[in-house]
């Protein structure tokens, strides 16, 4: 049976579909499955009419698809809907309805509406006043589906031929692996690639990747001298040629004013579908945890941390404890993404009495990510500038593998969501809290070590 999921996998990549059909398990994929389930659970409130079916499976020949909402209209036509945990409808959200729409048309069923069901980005309210009409918006996408369904029969024929082959299709990793989101088979596929595959060039667009393949370039060394590369890609190319870290002379100026002495800060958040507190919006990241390492000028390193308790609104406690730890200092606060600054800005909006100190704190943030992205490349980055990748490569001995239960941001978000929902046994709460403290502490320790490594690299490059 060709399911909707298999069909959509084939739209991204033939190899992905072939592996899925054989039951090969991908690594966990980014994307908020938990949020999708929360949204699906709210659909009966949004569509209370008698006769509406949720999670209905429809089929035609060897093709089957799920409809999150399926409503016979009484005149022989049906209304269908696909839930998407997003606040804006993008092309791949429409794809969720291609196969259900095509199946109904094949069966001669008239489609009264085919709606993407998504979250209203402007909905603000607490959980006690759920207004499903206002929370869940819908967009009828029949005109797009009419156009897209022209290709379905041909795609299905290609997919059947692909799946009947005992050999996997030869598809090298390329930017398509990350669109619309990173494929769960990416670690498997990329480890089979040469270390200097062009797929590892940072921020290579699909068009540029295709152009390089047409020129016969498989490895970074094959790239013709006159092929246009961005400064970041050119740096990556030089790093692969020398086999060593490549550092621009401007790194020192990018690090100017970053200390030490300095503070190193990281937040963890969760973003539920149903706004949990008054004034919050669907999927808005709610900060629940911070970790802070402090490096003094004499080399003394100390650690401070906060993790909200209970199910009440954590934002005031989070902000007050953060200001108590950082507010009176004037040192730089090092972070590794724009997210921390955006969250402090959001806190300043939500807590007007703390606006001035929070804005003053935010003005001290120094984001190390642009400094790395624009000035440093090591062949083992493999095109990624994520903290875990960069710090693991540049700081020997640093790893997250030994941590209990929580080893990445997605795991932290899941653990925080479980704690926020409540109802856990006390020993589970203790275990999750300990795991979260250990995880977030490792992130800021990594930031300390990365900053140290970057300062050494900038001195060597001077
Ligand atoms: S990682 Fe890329 S090449 Fe491999 S299966 Fe996924 S999309 Fe295809």
């Amino acid at each position: 049976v060709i399911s909707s999921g298999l069909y959509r996998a084939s739209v991204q990549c033939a190899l992905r579909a072939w592996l899925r059909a054989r039951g090969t398990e991908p690594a966990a994929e980014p994307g908020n499955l938990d949020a999708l389930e929360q949204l699906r659970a709210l659909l009966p409130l949004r569509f209370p009419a008698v006769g509406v079916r949720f999670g209905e499976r429809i089929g035609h020949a060897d093709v089957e698809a799920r409809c999150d909402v399926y409503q016979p209209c009484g005149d022989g036509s049906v209304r269908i809907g696909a839930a998407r945990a997003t606040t804006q409808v993008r092309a791949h959200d429409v794809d969720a309805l291609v196969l259900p729409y095509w199946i109904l048309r094949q069966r001669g069923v008239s489609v009264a509406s085919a709606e993407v069901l998504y979250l209203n980005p402007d909905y603000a309210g607490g959980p006690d006043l759920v207004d499903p009409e206002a929370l869940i918006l819908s967009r009828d996408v029949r005109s797009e589906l009419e156009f897209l369904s022209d290709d379905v029969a041909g795609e299905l024929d290609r997919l059947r031929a692909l799946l009947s082959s005992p050999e996997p299709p030869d598809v090298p990793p390329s930017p398509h692996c990350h669109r619309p989101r990173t494929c769960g088979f990416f670690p498997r596929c990329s480890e089979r690639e040469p270390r200097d595959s062009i797929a590892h060039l940072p921020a290579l667009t699909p068009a540029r990747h295709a152009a390089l393949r047409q020129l016969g370039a498989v490895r970074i060394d094959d790239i013709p001298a006159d092929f246009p590369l961005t400064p970041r890609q050119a740096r990556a190319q030089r790093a692969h040629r020398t086999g060593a870290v490549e550092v621009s002379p401007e790194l020192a100026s990018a690090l100017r004013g970053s200390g030490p002495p300095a503070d190193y800060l990281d937040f963890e958040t969760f973003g539920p579908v149903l706004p949990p507190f008054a004034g919050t919006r669907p999927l808005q990241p709610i900060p629940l945890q911070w970790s802070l390492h402090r490096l003094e000028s004499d080399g003394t390193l100390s650690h401070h941390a906060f993790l909200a308790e209970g199910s009440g609104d954590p934002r005031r406690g989070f902000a007050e404890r953060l200001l108590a730890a950082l507010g009176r200092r004037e040192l730089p606060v090092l972070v590794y993404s724009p997210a921390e600054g955006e969250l402090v800005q959001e806190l300043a909006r939500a807590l007007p009495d703390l606006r001035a100190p929070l804005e003053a704190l935010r003005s001290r943030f120094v984001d190390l990510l642009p400094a790395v992205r624009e000035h440093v490349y090591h062949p083992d980055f493999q095109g990624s500038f994520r903290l875990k990748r960069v710090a693991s490569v540049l700081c020997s001995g640093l790893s997250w593998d030994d941590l209990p239960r929580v080893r990445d941001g997605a795991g932290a978000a899941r653990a925080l969501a479980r704690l926020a929902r409540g109802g856990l046994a006390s020993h589970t709460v203790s275990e999750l809290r300990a795991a979260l403290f250990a995880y977030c502490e490792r992130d800021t320790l990594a930031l300390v070590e990365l900053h140290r490594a970057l300062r050494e690299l900038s001195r060597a490059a001077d």
Side-chain angles (χ1 to χ4, degrees):
V1 171
I2 296 176
S3 67
S4 206
L6 191 57
Y7 180 82
R8 277 157 56 209
S10 77
V11 171
Q12 182 175 15
C13 171
L15 177 57
R16 179 178 160 100
W18 190 91
L19 290 168
R20 258 190 78 140
R22 275 159 180 74
T24 309
E25 278 298 314
E29 299 190 350
N32 201 338
L33 278 181
D34 193 36
L36 180 59
E37 290 311 315
Q38 291 172 47
L39 176 55
R40 284 176 171 158
L42 292 167
L43 292 177
L45 296 176
R46 175 70 167 76
F47 299 95
V50 176
V52 180
R53 305 204 284 268
F54 301 98
E56 177 84 356
R57 298 204 172 271
I58 56 174
H60 174 72
D62 61 345
V63 184
E64 185 186 270
R66 173 199 158 105
C67 300
D68 289 319
V69 173
Y70 183 93
Q71 181 176 17
C73 297
D75 59 358
S77 67
V78 297
R79 176 186 189 187
I80 55 173
R84 308 298 293 163
T86 177
T87 52
Q88 61 181 61
V89 179
R90 295 145 303 178
H92 65 271
D93 296 309
V94 177
D95 287 347
L97 281 162
V98 169
L99 218 47
Y101 184 81
W102 180 83
I103 288 170
L104 290 170
R105 298 302 301 267
Q106 294 302 301
R107 286 166 39 175
V109 177
S110 168
V111 181
S113 72
E115 297 163 40
V116 177
L117 307 168
Y118 65 107
L119 294 157
N120 180 355
D122 300 319
Y123 179 87
D128 304 329
L129 295 167
V130 182
D131 179 352
E133 285 273 337
L135 174 66
I136 303 172
L137 302 180
S138 73
R139 200 180 106 193
D140 190 350
V141 293
R142 275 176 300 167
S143 53
E144 287 107 307
L145 293 172
E146 198 56 45
F147 173 71
L148 292 168
S149 56
D150 283 350
D151 295 335
V152 172
E155 287 293 336
L156 285 170
D157 284 343
R158 276 189 286 279
L159 182 53
R160 288 186 193 101
L162 168 77
L163 299 182
S164 66
S165 165
E167 292 301 319
D170 180 20
V171 185
S174 82
H176 82 278
C177 303
H178 306 287
R179 290 161 199 241
R181 57 176 63 98
T182 299
C183 169
F185 294 116
F186 191 67
R188 177 188 186 281
C189 291
S190 58
E191 78 184 14
R192 291 161 193 227
E193 282 292 285
R195 183 168 173 252
D196 62 344
S197 160
I198 57 166
H200 296 149
L201 269 186
L204 187 66
T205 63
R208 285 285 165 86
H209 182 271
L212 282 172
R213 295 289 297 193
Q214 265 192 346
L215 293 168
V218 174
R219 295 169 180 266
I220 288 173
D221 217 27
D222 302 333
I223 298 174
D226 59 352
F227 191 85
L229 296 176
T230 65
R232 213 182 294 167
Q233 291 163 351
R235 189 173 310 109
Q237 187 183 43
R238 288 195 298 277
H240 278 283
R241 283 194 174 140
T242 61
V245 65
E246 182 77 17
V247 182
S248 87
E250 290 81 37
L251 178 62
S253 66
L255 294 177
R256 197 160 294 135
S258 65
D263 289 310
Y264 301 80
L265 185 64
D266 182 52
F267 294 169
E268 299 298 337
T269 64
F270 86 125
V273 160
L274 198 55
F277 311 114
T280 55
R281 298 179 303 280
L283 303 180
Q284 178 184 330
I286 308 289
L288 288 170
Q289 179 181 16
W290 52 256
S291 170
L292 167 68
H293 269 94
R294 173 163 298 157
L295 183 60
E296 306 288 1
S297 35
D298 64 359
T300 307
L301 187 65
S302 58
H303 180 247
H304 310 263
F306 171 85
L307 175 53
E309 290 187 60
S311 55
D313 189 341
R315 291 175 294 172
R316 178 164 292 279
F318 180 101
E320 286 179 348
R321 291 282 298 277
L322 187 64
L323 288 171
L326 282 167
R328 273 188 234 105
R329 294 170 65 98
E330 297 201 343
L331 299 176
V333 179
L334 273 57
V335 293
Y336 197 79
S337 82
E340 278 71 16
E342 289 161 9
L343 284 160
V344 168
Q345 196 174 22
E346 189 63 47
L347 284 171
R349 268 198 289 267
L351 305 167
D353 57 313
L354 299 179
R355 177 172 297 159
L358 285 169
E359 283 176 352
L361 171 61
R362 183 166 171 260
S363 71
R364 286 159 46 201
F365 281 13
V366 177
D367 188 355
L368 283 186
L369 173 58
V372 175
R373 210 167 37 200
E374 302 309 326
H375 302 293
V376 183
Y377 196 87
H378 189 287
D380 290 338
F381 286 1
Q382 306 270 285
S384 168
F385 294 97
R386 290 183 310 119
L387 175 64
K388 288 177 182 60
R389 170 66 64 122
V390 166
S392 303
V393 171
L394 296 182
C395 315
S396 65
L398 195 61
S399 166
W400 283 256
D401 294 343
D402 60 310
L403 292 175
R405 292 180 83 131
V406 176
R407 298 192 186 107
D408 57 30
R414 279 195 298 276
L416 287 167
R418 287 185 69 194
L419 287 173
R421 273 198 297 271
L424 299 172
S426 62
H427 70 272
T428 306
V429 171
S430 305
E431 276 178 29
L432 286 176
R433 287 181 65 82
L436 283 162
F437 274 122
Y439 171 71
C440 203
E441 179 175 357
R442 187 66 53 90
D443 273 4
T444 46
L445 182 62
L447 209 43
V448 175
E449 295 301 327
L450 175 61
H451 189 215
R452 197 189 314 271
L454 293 175
R455 296 196 312 277
E456 281 167 16
L457 288 172
S458 75
R459 278 195 290 273
D462 227 3

